[in-house]
Amino acid sequence: MTSVFLLLSLPHTSDGLTTMRPTALAGPMDDGSGSPPRKVARLAAESDSAPASRSKAKTSSSHKSEGPIQIEVIGDYKSKAPAAEKQLALLRRCIRTILTRDPGPHDTIPATYEGIYNACRSVVTVSNLGENLYSILKIELEQSIGQISKSLATSTEKDTAWIASFNKAFNWFEEQIVLLKSLLTYLDQVYVVHEKNVHYVHDLAYQLITERVFGFAEVVERLRSGVNAWLDSERRTSTAHPDQAVMPALIQHLLRHNQYSAFEEQYLQLTQSFYLEESAAQAEALKAKPKAFFEKARARIQEEASRSKAVLPIAAWGMVREVTEKALWSGRTEWLANTTLSSYVEGKDFATLGAMYSLFARVNGIKALCDAFRVYIRTTVSTIVKDAERDDEMVQRLLDCKELADKTVSTPCRFDQHRGFAPIASSSQLPTMQPDQQFLYAVTDAFSTGFKSRRSKPAEMIAKYLDKSMRKGQGKASDAEFQTLLDKVLALYRFTDDKDVFRTFYHRSLAKRLLLEKSASDDFEKGMLKKLKEKYDPEFGMGEDMFKDLALSRESMREYHSKLEEDSPGLKLNAMVLQRSAWPFTVQKHTVDLPPNMQAELTKYADYYKSKHSGHVLDWDHSLGTATLKAGSTRVLYQTLVLLLFNEATDIPFADVKEQTNMDDAELRRTLQSLACGKKKVLKKIPPGKDVDDADVFRFNADFDDPHAKVHINSIQAKVTPEESKRTNASIEDDRKHYLDAAIVRIMKARKELTYEQLKAATIDAVKSHFVPQVETIKRRIDSLVETEYLERDPEDRNKYLYVA
């Protein structure tokens, strides 16, 4: 563009001015729109048209041939300052109108949103009056928030209705702040961002409302009162309040204004106080109905959980439930466990037990539940063991109790093995649930303690139950099912301290089964012995010697029979030669008189055996012998001896039978009972009765009949009688004395000197794999060894014992 200064020095003949196009003023002054000002120079001429200018220039040149041309510039090249005060006033009116909650008919925003936005930009960026605008905004916010606070404080509404109004006021205010934040963007992004200790529009508004509303005691009190009234109403009626929906909205406002923590604290306090009071009242009212208390408390917990999900943030659910449960169960877990658990277990109500376990686990009540479970199982086991009238049912009842206990532990009393650790990564697999070890230990302890309520008897009855099972066999059950039953019985054996009692009775029963050929399966017998030896007691290796003796005896009889003539009576003889050390039988004190022909065959076999095994001594024991009479009945040898007497007479008194057989009195009475008082009465007892007296007379029953060709008459001798049990237990006690004596001497020989307490502990530890002795028994054995001069007391310390070499 041509410079004005150059134009001023042009010659008069120049047409340079004609190169400049005359232009009117570009328009009005800057209105703050942000467009650059237009600077236009105008010439002092009568006409703006170029031809006129040229014509006038020619005319002028005709009058003046020399001299400069005078030019007048109209207008200013610099923009005037925008109307800042007017814009501030405009923004003030707009802000005030936006922050007026109930505007009048004339309270309208005097500019469009775009105009407000542009005015803010001009004030902040062009006029640099951001501080002034910020002050105006703060004043208007304070006035608006003050009106909100005053209206809430003076409102006549109450409780949830007041909270609804509170929510409406905050909904409106938060919407207006969002609008202001958008309109005053340049205030935030240009002014506030460069100033220290100055808040953004949003933060300023929220700070002021925190100070003027949440800092107003009356408003806070009405807020707390409304929450309390709502919560109390729902808990008293156990139904949702009609205005429950206002609470989630309130919580959202509190969260936005960082006031939720106070609400949560109040909510938890109200929850705790309410349920502590209710728990105390219900416990007193339902003192005789603990189950009803448990169900009501359980329902309350579920109700509170539902309310939390409907109203509270997820993070608060766990806290509310924890406070509720602690308030309800505080001081009640032991009472509930002790009074309700037994009935739940007996009724097999595993669902309720599972709920109780889960609920108590969250309030550290598992110990009370486990203790109650232990007491129940121990009491049940002790009651079964001490019920002497039902000894025959003892083991089956114990098995039923153990099965119930195991099911209780494995079903309700289970916990997540990851509980208490960091959450595991999600997968398609469910968390592994394991039985609670506390309850497993409780079962073991309860059974072990319950067995001690009647020493030795459980071990004896377990051995007898196994004897019955091995005689009966598996029946219709599969091998696996029968083995499972045997394993369950052996599991009971673990709980008894009287291992020697079980071993003794089991050996005796096993010996009778093998000799009388009453065992259902030799494979199961051998498998049982192997399991007992490997897992329970190494001394069960004696059973292997029994099977070895039987095998050698059968081989010896086959060899003996092969040397006899075909019509020899000896072919009917079957003798078992047994090692006394391997079989649990004592030497018979009474020998019976056999018929001469039987005795002759036994003598022949004895001579043959001695010729093969010189130096061996044979002692005949006929108590477990059997014989087959020509009539077709298979009987124990003692029964045969008695029945053979009736070939010579019809009626025989008891005294004559005893004299002719030379049998032991007790054995003879049991034998006669089996023949005359059992289901198959081969003999008649005169007078009738269950017991055999000295004056009884026995007569052959000619009317006896049986549909089977071969009849087996059960013998009492084949069973363990009460007298035999007493003798066996007495023998076990004698063996225990010798075992203790040997253990004490062995300990003292190694240690030379010990105090009484040290010797007692060492003795118990030495024999515990066989039995657990009573303290009194140990003391008596120590005194006995002192008397027999194996030990002596220290002259200076009477509580110390010395070994006598």
Side-chain angles (χ1 to χ4, degrees):
M1 180 179 293
T2 304
S3 172
V4 173
F5 299 100
L6 290 178
L7 292 174
L8 294 177
S9 61
L10 287 175
H12 65 86
T13 59
S14 174
D15 58 355
L17 293 177
T18 63
T19 64
M20 298 186 61
R21 299 178 61 184
T23 307
L25 286 176
M29 300 302 293
D30 182 19
D31 61 354
S33 65
S35 301
R38 297 182 181 180
K39 303 176 182 179
V40 181
R42 296 189 61 185
L43 297 177
E46 296 295 327
S47 174
D48 286 336
S49 63
S53 297
R54 285 195 296 269
S55 175
K56 194 169 183 176
K58 289 181 180 181
T59 304
S60 177
S61 63
S62 62
H63 296 287
K64 292 182 179 182
S65 59
E66 293 182 356
I69 299 174
Q70 183 179 0
I71 299 174
E72 180 181 359
V73 178
I74 301 173
D76 193 353
Y77 290 98
K78 292 184 180 180
S79 301
K80 290 184 178 180
E85 294 300 327
K86 292 182 179 180
Q87 291 177 332
L88 280 177
L90 173 67
L91 290 174
R92 184 194 305 273
R93 292 197 303 274
C94 292
I95 293 172
R96 180 174 299 171
T97 304
I98 291 173
L99 292 178
T100 301
R101 187 179 179 190
D102 298 315
H106 303 292
D107 294 333
T108 58
I109 301 176
T112 64
Y113 289 164
E114 182 180 4
I116 298 172
Y117 179 88
N118 291 330
C120 174
R121 179 177 60 183
S122 177
V123 167
V124 175
T125 60
V126 178
S127 303
N128 294 323
L129 296 177
E131 182 178 0
N132 297 28
L133 178 58
Y134 188 85
S135 299
I136 291 171
L137 173 66
K138 185 175 181 180
I139 292 172
E140 296 301 328
L141 283 172
E142 288 176 346
Q143 291 178 351
S144 176
I145 292 171
Q147 291 296 324
I148 293 174
S149 178
K150 181 179 179 181
S151 65
L152 291 174
T154 59
S155 173
T156 58
E157 295 175 319
K158 296 182 179 179
D159 303 335
T160 54
W162 183 89
I163 293 177
S165 296
F166 180 94
N167 290 339
K168 290 179 181 179
F170 269 68
N171 284 336
W172 171 83
F173 180 78
E174 290 167 2
E175 290 175 358
Q176 303 310 99
I177 296 303
V178 171
L179 176 60
L180 283 177
K181 180 181 176 182
S182 301
L183 297 178
L184 303 180
T185 300
Y186 271 82
L187 184 64
D188 275 344
Q189 295 182 356
V190 178
Y191 170 71
V192 175
V193 74
H194 294 102
E195 297 293 328
K196 294 182 179 179
N197 302 321
V198 177
H199 301 289
Y200 291 103
V201 172
H202 176 276
D203 296 341
L204 173 64
Y206 278 44
Q207 179 187 20
L208 291 174
I209 205 165
T210 298
E211 294 174 357
R212 303 299 175 89
V213 176
F214 294 109
F216 192 1
E218 188 172 350
V219 173
V220 173
E221 181 59 31
R222 296 198 66 173
L223 183 62
R224 293 175 63 88
S225 175
V227 172
N228 190 2
W230 160 74
L231 198 55
D232 187 69
S233 173
E234 288 205 353
R235 287 171 174 164
R236 297 293 180 190
T237 61
S238 296
T239 57
H241 194 281
D243 296 333
Q244 187 189 72
V246 303
M247 302 311 298
L250 170 65
I251 291 173
Q252 291 303 314
H253 293 307
L254 296 178
L255 287 170
R256 293 190 193 100
H257 296 277
N258 299 319
Q259 301 297 317
Y260 174 73
S261 58
F263 170 86
E264 185 177 80
E265 181 180 356
Q266 179 194 4
Y267 194 100
L268 294 177
Q269 289 176 349
L270 292 173
T271 302
Q272 183 181 39
S273 60
F274 179 84
Y275 285 117
L276 280 174
E277 180 182 351
E278 181 175 89
S279 177
Q282 291 293 327
E284 182 64 27
L286 300 174
K287 190 174 184 179
K289 299 178 180 179
K291 283 188 178 182
F293 177 90
F294 176 76
E295 292 300 330
K296 285 192 174 184
R298 183 180 170 188
R300 276 298 198 183
I301 293 172
Q302 294 174 347
E303 174 188 323
E304 202 63 39
S306 299
R307 182 180 300 109
S308 297
K309 292 179 180 179
V311 174
L312 301 178
I314 296 178
W317 296 357
M319 290 186 289
V320 173
R321 176 155 190 159
E322 181 180 358
V323 170
T324 302
E325 290 175 340
K326 286 185 177 181
L328 287 171
W329 303 131
S330 178
R332 319 283 180 215
T333 53
E334 290 187 12
W335 167 59
L336 290 171
N338 293 335
T339 55
T340 64
L341 181 134
S342 59
S343 60
Y344 288 140
V345 175
E346 289 175 357
K348 299 182 181 180
D349 189 355
F350 299 125
T352 303
L353 282 172
M356 180 177 285
Y357 177 85
S358 300
L359 291 170
F360 282 18
R362 290 194 283 264
V363 293
N364 297 322
I366 290 297
K367 184 179 183 302
L369 192 63
C370 187
D371 290 344
F373 180 69
R374 179 187 290 106
V375 170
Y376 168 72
I377 298 297
R378 182 175 65 238
T379 303
T380 303
V381 171
S382 179
T383 301
I384 293 173
V385 169
K386 291 190 292 186
D387 190 357
E389 295 181 358
R390 301 176 64 184
D391 276 349
D392 291 341
E393 305 173 23
M394 178 190 295
V395 177
Q396 186 58 53
R397 293 169 68 191
L398 289 173
L399 287 173
D400 294 340
C401 179
K402 180 64 164 55
E403 182 179 3
L404 180 60
D406 289 343
K407 193 168 184 180
T408 301
V409 172
S410 62
T411 305
C413 303
R414 296 165 68 89
F415 68 99
D416 185 350
Q417 67 176 358
H418 298 290
R419 186 180 65 189
F421 298 91
I424 60 174
S426 61
S427 66
S428 59
Q429 296 181 349
L430 294 175
T432 303
M433 303 297 290
Q434 298 291 339
D436 195 326
Q437 290 295 323
Q438 297 180 72
F439 285 79
L440 293 176
Y441 296 146
V443 172
T444 301
D445 178 69
F447 269 84
S448 299
T449 307
F451 275 25
K452 293 177 182 178
S453 59
R454 193 178 176 194
R455 290 181 59 83
S456 303
K457 198 63 181 179
E460 176 187 341
M461 298 311 298
I462 292 172
K464 291 180 178 179
Y465 186 91
L466 284 173
D467 174 54
K468 183 179 178 181
S469 298
M470 299 302 282
R471 288 172 179 270
K472 183 180 179 181
Q474 64 193 72
K476 296 181 180 180
S478 64
D479 290 351
E481 292 172 342
F482 186 59
Q483 187 61 56
T484 301
L485 172 63
L486 298 179
D487 291 342
K488 289 180 179 179
V489 179
L490 289 180
L492 295 178
Y493 168 61
R494 290 185 181 275
F495 301 130
T496 179
D497 293 333
D498 304 307
K499 302 292 192 294
D500 54 341
V501 174
F502 174 84
R503 184 171 59 247
T504 301
F505 276 96
Y506 189 85
H507 271 144
R508 289 179 177 273
S509 300
L510 174 63
K512 289 185 177 183
R513 291 197 301 273
L514 296 179
L515 293 176
L516 296 175
E517 298 181 348
K518 296 296 183 183
S519 179
S521 171
D522 285 350
D523 292 337
F524 275 112
E525 293 283 9
K526 293 177 181 178
M528 179 65 72
L529 288 172
K530 181 180 180 181
K531 184 172 292 186
L532 286 169
K533 180 181 179 181
E534 293 177 351
K535 296 185 177 181
Y536 297 92
D537 190 346
E539 293 192 18
F540 269 99
M542 294 173 63
E544 298 175 0
D545 295 332
M546 292 183 180
F547 281 98
K548 188 183 297 183
D549 284 352
L550 293 177
L552 292 175
S553 295
R554 294 188 184 100
E555 181 63 29
S556 177
M557 289 307 302
R558 282 195 294 269
E559 183 178 350
Y560 175 69
H561 288 160
S562 65
K563 297 180 180 299
L564 299 177
E565 297 179 1
E566 294 183 0
D567 58 349
S568 173
L571 293 173
K572 298 178 181 179
L573 175 65
N574 186 20
M576 297 292 178
V577 181
L578 314 173
Q579 302 177 71
R580 187 167 297 282
S581 61
W583 296 78
F585 301 124
T586 58
V587 178
Q588 292 290 317
K589 297 180 180 180
H590 295 84
T591 57
V592 297
D593 294 334
L594 299 180
N597 57 340
M598 289 185 183
Q599 188 61 53
E601 293 300 328
L602 287 182
T603 302
K604 290 178 183 180
Y605 177 75
D607 293 340
Y608 166 78
Y609 182 83
K610 290 178 181 179
S611 66
K612 303 287 290 184
H613 306 279
S614 59
H616 288 198
V617 178
L618 294 178
D619 291 322
W620 294 99
D621 185 352
H622 302 304
S623 61
L624 296 178
T626 60
T628 302
L629 295 184
K630 188 175 182 181
S633 298
T634 300
R635 299 177 177 85
V636 176
L637 182 58
Y638 284 176
Q639 295 173 331
T640 302
L641 297 180
V642 172
L643 290 177
L644 288 176
L645 297 178
F646 289 89
N647 287 334
E648 305 297 333
T650 303
D651 295 348
I652 305 177
F654 171 79
D656 292 348
V657 175
K658 182 177 181 180
E659 181 182 354
Q660 295 182 49
T661 58
N662 196 28
M663 291 172 60
D664 178 72
D665 185 82
E667 291 283 359
L668 178 58
R669 293 179 188 275
R670 286 196 293 271
T671 301
L672 289 171
Q673 276 184 317
S674 68
L675 294 171
C677 303
K679 293 181 179 180
K680 299 175 181 178
K681 296 180 173 59
V682 183
L683 301 180
K684 291 183 178 180
K685 189 175 81 73
I686 304 172
K690 293 183 179 181
D691 298 326
V692 177
D693 298 326
D694 294 343
D696 288 345
V697 176
F698 294 88
R699 176 182 300 165
F700 179 73
N701 183 10
D703 298 329
F704 175 75
D705 189 20
D706 195 274
H708 298 89
K710 192 173 183 178
V711 181
H712 177 75
I713 300 177
N714 293 328
S715 60
I716 297 178
Q717 289 91 334
K719 301 178 181 178
V720 180
T721 61
E723 293 79 4
E724 185 177 356
S725 293
K726 290 180 181 179
R727 290 197 302 269
T728 302
N729 281 309
S731 174
I732 292 171
E733 290 298 328
D734 290 338
D735 291 342
R736 285 182 172 183
K737 293 177 182 178
H738 299 312
Y739 206 92
L740 284 172
D741 290 348
I744 293 171
V745 172
R746 189 164 55 250
I747 292 168
M748 290 301 299
K749 185 176 181 179
R751 306 283 289 274
K752 303 305 181 184
E753 64 177 43
L754 287 173
T755 63
Y756 169 72
E757 292 297 330
Q758 292 173 333
L759 181 55
K760 179 183 72 175
T763 303
I764 293 175
D765 186 65
V767 303
K768 66 182 181 182
S769 61
H770 300 279
F771 66 97
V772 178
Q774 294 181 333
V775 176
E776 295 79 4
T777 304
I778 296 176
K779 187 170 181 10
R780 285 197 298 267
R781 298 322 304 161
I782 294 175
D783 293 340
S784 175
L785 292 173
V786 170
E787 293 178 2
T788 54
E789 298 182 354
Y790 283 94
L791 306 177
E792 66 179 5
R793 293 181 182 271
D794 190 325
E796 298 180 358
D797 186 357
R798 303 298 293 173
N799 193 41
K800 183 181 291 185
Y801 293 92
L802 307 176
Y803 175 69
V804 179

